[in-house]
Amino acid sequence: MPRSTRRRPAPTHPATEEIDLFDVLHALADPTRMTIVRVLRAEPERACGTFPVDVAPSTLSHHFKVLRESGLITQREEANRRFSALRTADLEHRFPKLLDTVLAAHAHADTRTHAAPGSEATS
């Protein structure tokens, strides 16, 4: 049986001026989505199935949709793969230093959570 030649629709992204602070904060509140954002902060672009997260493919697709619709990431198709990238410039224009602040707070919370028992994390 031949494969379908029907292509999935191209992902849609909000315009920079339509990025809403509460949508961004909601997207960043999930640990899986935060992992995706942290990876994309370190790498300019990455194929969607290559992130270090332990969720089902359908769940991962949902997380990418939330990130894309909130304005945090952009996605593009290349052959049969979808690549994601942070919209760093758009986010910085819309909400200066927000992404840096949230990522720093998340990293700080991670170090406090993973501190050895009996040790005090410093602020």
Side-chain angles (χ1 to χ4, degrees), residues 2 19 30 37 48 58 67 75 80-82 92 105:
I19 297 173
D30 181 86
V37 169
C48 289
S58 60
L67 289 167
Q75 293 185 304
N80 64 344
R81 300 192 86 176
R82 187 171 277 184
E92 189 62 23

Side-chain angles (χ1 to χ4, degrees), residues 24-108:
V24 169
L25 293 175
H26 166 75
L28 292 173
D30 181 86
T32 299
R33 292 192 289 264
M34 194 59 166
T35 297
I36 293 167
V37 169
R38 288 173 57 187
V39 168
L40 288 174
R41 187 62 165 194
E43 299 179 30
E45 186 176 60
R46 190 166 179 151
C48 289
T50 64
F51 287 83
V53 294
D54 189 25
V55 296
S58 60
T59 303
L60 187 58
S61 292
H62 168 74
H63 287 304
F64 283 120
K65 180 181 178 185
V66 171
L67 289 167
R68 186 180 67 248
E69 290 179 350
S70 72
L72 277 160
I73 66 170
T74 184
Q75 293 185 304
R76 68 176 181 84
E77 303 278 341
E78 184 175 298
N80 64 344
R81 300 192 86 176
R82 187 171 277 184
F83 289 85
S84 298
L86 272 180
R87 293 179 64 179
T88 308
D90 293 336
L91 291 164
E92 189 62 23
H93 173 77
R94 192 82 171 97
F95 310 110
K97 303 290 183 206
L98 175 69
L99 194 55
D100 290 338
T101 301
V102 172
L103 288 170
H106 187 266
H108 180 72

